[in-house]
Amino acid sequence: MRWPVSYPLALIVALMALVPVGVLFGLASDDVQLFDAHNLKVLTNTLLLMVFTVLGAILIGVPLALLTAYAQMPGRRLWLILLAAPLAIPSYIGAFTLYAAFGRGGEIENLLGLPVPAMDGLMGATIVMILYSYPFVMLTTRASLLSLDASLVNAARTLGMSLGASLWRVVLPRVVTGIAAGGLLVALYTLSDFGTPAIMRLDTFTRVIFVEYNAFGLSQAAMLSLQLLVIVGLVLFLESRVRGSRERPGRHLTLWPGRGQQFAIVLSVVPILVLAIALPLAVFGIWLVREGSEGFEFSYAWNSAHASFLAAIFAVILAIPVAHAAIAGRAGRLMERMTYFGFGVPGIVMGTALVYVGLQLPFLYQTLGLLVLAYVLRFLPLAVGSVRSTAEGLDPSLVKAARVLGASPREAFQRVTLPLTVRGMVAGAALVFLEAMRELPATLMLGPTGFETLATYLWRVYEAGYFGRAAIPGLLLVLMSALGLALMLSGERRAEIDVTETPQS
């Protein structure tokens, strides 16, 4: 049996994605302590932060999903955008601004003269992570809710069940997979985050790995990275077991809250938006007025854009054979899953592995090429997913027609398939570009000497205590992240239109 043309290239790309994990195993084989009192404390902190964040994100995200899916309120579309907007702010930016706003001598006390408690430690990190991860639960649960047929809810209401009881006993059990999928995304996001625990001074795996790396304890950093990967691997396994239940779309459930109920809803939602969006932007605004652009050079923005653009181009080039191999057969799908190792590997872990690669290959150490490689390995699945979703929607008769007219498989791919997947390639490149702009730990560890990006400059001013100088890079990162959110919501909008335009019985 002859393999498709894309298989050899896809196999090479898939094996590349496994290199960092193999490097960590080799590096951690030295004589290092696997478990001691400090490591157990780090493990406990990491697990507690993950569990508390997932629970908090579910408690906030599920009610907001019900609200945005079913409640007919003025400005309904605007509310969805606002409630999803925390995804446009990297969590380390939220942690930075909230840490600076609260506590003695914070911006709130300076501005209003009101003493407020400090936000740090496990509680502070948990609050920040919940604020910037609950949209994962909200959006996955909302997608499940929009696919449900409302007939069972209407039947329950007819039989005398209250609205709250019908939502609890009829609707939520049917969207458990959507809630679980969102919760697992939150867990992965929490495990991989470096900036928030570091700023909140909470010893989790990501923070301690960075400390060990800076102390030249590369073997210990690798061992800690492998321990973190075990937890990440468990979460990824659970995520792979979650399967969404498909229902035949029917009548869409519509709720019409009264004026008093609308006021209560707004009153409960506003504090979330104030903490997650308004307060960070206000803090940046204060800093911008106070210090302007002092210390900031626009070369930092150029460096971010340059490295991210290179990563986007190379990620799309590598994604093309993987995406088409995944469509071609089971072996290709296995190769595609292998590339997801990189996305599951936290940036701090990827940085640790590639630092060692750079030490073994001096021509790569602290070069732009090594940093771009880290971006590509981390965010390749974003490009693969976009290219594959576009390629799957193509009419196979076009390729068959090209073959009938005498084109070889390679010619048919180059002249028919490839041009028709340009839209997915552009979308995938945009997502990789935006994620690479936000990446902090891998950039700190792998960036060339003197190569400052928006993310690393923001980190440097935090370490130096010059908080006011973070205004411009912080606002630029929020703006770039907002573009990524717009891309995601545009796809969500198309899915919603497909559901709501389904003929109702």
Side-chain angles (χ1 to χ4, degrees):
M1 178 179 175
R2 187 177 179 182
W3 274 24
V5 177
S6 57
Y7 270 26
L9 289 176
L11 181 59
I12 293 173
V13 176
L15 292 176
M16 281 176 54
L18 299 180
V19 168
V21 179
V23 168
L24 288 175
F25 273 105
L27 185 58
S29 62
D30 294 342
D31 184 22
V32 294
Q33 291 184 339
L34 180 60
F35 288 111
D36 56 21
H38 183 249
N39 282 9
L40 289 175
K41 180 182 177 181
V42 171
L43 174 63
T44 301
N45 288 342
T46 302
L47 293 178
L48 286 176
L49 179 61
M50 181 186 72
V51 171
F52 291 161
T53 302
V54 169
L55 291 177
I58 290 174
L59 290 175
I60 293 176
V62 172
L64 292 181
L66 290 167
L67 170 66
T68 56
Y70 294 151
Q72 302 299 311
M73 294 180 61
R76 180 167 172 257
R77 183 66 188 169
L78 176 61
W79 280 111
L80 174 61
I81 294 172
L82 288 175
L83 291 170
L87 288 180
I89 301 179
S91 59
Y92 58 81
I93 287 182
F96 189 5
T97 52
L98 292 175
Y99 177 80
F102 286 84
R104 178 169 295 183
E107 296 297 339
I108 294 177
E109 182 175 337
N110 292 338
L111 187 64
L112 303 177
L114 299 174
V116 290
M119 186 174 290
D120 56 12
L122 179 60
M123 180 176 294
T126 299
I127 292 173
V128 171
M129 293 306 301
I130 290 172
L131 288 174
Y132 296 100
S133 64
Y134 79 81
F136 290 118
V137 177
M138 183 187 76
L139 293 174
T140 57
T141 305
R142 184 174 185 272
S144 297
L145 290 170
L146 289 174
S147 68
L148 297 184
D149 185 350
S151 59
L152 290 178
V153 177
N154 294 332
R157 297 295 306 280
T158 302
L159 294 173
M161 189 177 292
S162 67
L163 175 61
S166 61
L167 291 176
W168 178 260
R169 300 180 62 181
V170 178
V171 173
L172 291 183
R174 297 158 70 194
V175 295
V176 166
T177 52
I179 298 172
L184 290 170
L185 286 175
V186 172
L188 285 173
Y189 185 74
T190 305
L191 289 172
S192 65
D193 189 73
F194 159 73
T196 299
I199 291 171
M200 292 295 168
R201 302 175 183 179
L202 177 68
D203 279 342
T204 61
F205 275 115
T206 51
R207 186 187 186 208
V208 175
I209 289 168
F210 188 70
V211 170
E212 290 290 343
Y213 162 75
N214 283 333
F216 303 101
L218 202 54
S219 294
Q220 183 66 22
M223 179 59 72
L224 291 168
S225 298
L226 288 175
Q227 294 176 37
L228 177 57
L229 277 182
V230 170
I231 304 174
V232 171
L234 177 61
V235 175
L236 285 173
F237 171 76
L238 294 175
E239 189 271 339
S240 69
R241 307 306 298 174
V242 173
R243 294 288 182 267
S245 58
R246 294 184 175 272
E247 295 194 18
R248 192 172 181 178
R251 186 175 298 277
H252 185 66
L253 180 62
T254 302
L255 303 177
W256 298 90
R259 185 164 299 179
Q261 292 172 322
Q262 291 181 12
F263 179 75
I265 290 171
V266 171
L267 205 60
S268 62
V269 165
V270 164
I272 299 172
L273 298 180
V274 168
L275 283 175
I277 303 171
L279 185 57
L281 293 180
V283 170
F284 279 139
I286 293 171
W287 290 346
L288 187 61
V289 171
R290 183 187 301 162
E291 301 197 23
S293 60
E294 182 181 353
F296 180 77
E297 299 177 14
F298 280 94
S299 61
Y300 304 154
W302 166 251
N303 289 342
S304 290
H306 182 209
S308 301
F309 179 77
L310 291 175
I313 296 299
F314 284 109
V316 167
I317 292 172
L318 295 178
I320 292 171
V322 176
H324 288 281
I327 297 173
R330 183 176 298 177
R333 288 193 292 274
L334 176 61
M335 297 174 199
E336 180 195 30
R337 296 298 296 180
M338 289 168 65
T339 65
Y340 278 75
F341 271 94
F343 200 56
V345 172
I348 192 77
V349 175
M350 182 69 73
T352 302
L354 292 187
V355 162
Y356 182 74
V357 172
L359 291 173
Q360 302 307 306
L361 304 173
F363 65 90
L364 275 179
Y365 186 64
Q366 287 192 329
T367 63
L368 182 61
L370 190 62
L371 178 61
V372 170
L373 176 62
Y375 288 161
V376 170
L377 294 179
R378 279 273 287 136
F379 306 121
L380 178 62
L382 298 176
V384 172
S386 294
V387 175
R388 178 181 176 179
S389 63
T390 304
E392 284 179 327
L394 298 181
D395 186 352
S397 63
L398 296 175
V399 177
K400 292 179 181 177
R403 296 298 308 280
V404 169
L405 293 174
S408 67
R410 186 181 301 274
E411 290 174 328
F413 176 78
Q414 292 175 345
R415 302 179 62 181
V416 178
T417 304
L418 196 58
L420 292 176
T421 55
V422 167
R423 179 181 174 184
M425 292 162 58
V426 171
L431 290 174
V432 172
F433 177 87
L434 293 165
E435 285 299 321
M437 289 277 289
R438 295 159 51 123
E439 176 61 31
L440 174 61
T443 312
L444 284 172
M445 300 175 76
L446 299 171
T449 302
F451 186 83
E452 205 77 88
T453 66
L454 293 174
T456 59
Y457 177 73
L458 191 144
W459 176 258
R460 306 291 183 205
V461 297
Y462 158 74
E463 285 189 314
Y466 299 127
F467 289 6
R469 298 184 181 182
I472 291 181
L475 290 172
L476 286 175
L477 281 171
V478 170
L479 177 61
M480 298 304 299
S481 299
L483 296 177
L485 177 64
L487 279 175
M488 184 183 68
L489 286 182
S490 65
E492 197 270 353
R493 174 65 174 166
R494 286 193 294 271
E496 180 181 351
I497 290 174
D498 292 341
V499 171
T500 56
E501 289 185 353
T502 302
Q504 296 182 359
S505 57

